[in-house]
Amino acid sequence: MNYLLHYLCNNVMKGGRKDMFIVDDQVRPGILVLINDADWELEGEEKYQLQPKDNILFVSTLHGG
């Protein structure tokens, strides 16, 4: 997962979007990360080794008022 996070930030996200996703090399609080429909905290977070056909989903729980 760590590789995927860095890849997304360095190769996919443009401009200030990275700051909305990563803070201090960690996924920003308020972003739910699911690995195969399970909370990534149950899978080891950044230490999880991606497998072929894994489904990774990032969901923002933050919203404006």
Side-chain angles (χ1 to χ4, degrees):
M1 278 298 296
N2 196 35
Y3 174 80
L4 175 62
L5 295 172
H6 286 281
Y7 178 84
L8 289 173
C9 288
N10 295 326
N11 299 296
V12 177
M13 295 180 184
K14 305 293 182 201
R17 299 278 186 203
K18 179 180 175 181
D19 295 337
M20 296 177 69
F21 186 64
I22 300 287
V23 174
D24 297 327
D25 287 332
Q26 303 266 336
V27 174
R28 178 182 281 281
I31 296 181
L32 178 63
V33 182
L34 300 176
I35 300 171
N36 301 320
D37 297 325
D39 191 328
W40 80 324
E41 291 178 356
L42 301 173
E43 303 292 345
E45 298 180 344
E46 292 100 346
K47 297 176 191 127
Y48 179 78
Q49 295 292 315
L50 291 172
Q51 303 298 313
K53 299 195 180 193
D54 273 347
N55 184 36
I56 310 301
L57 180 65
F58 300 96
V59 180
S60 175
T61 61
L62 304 173
H63 56 83

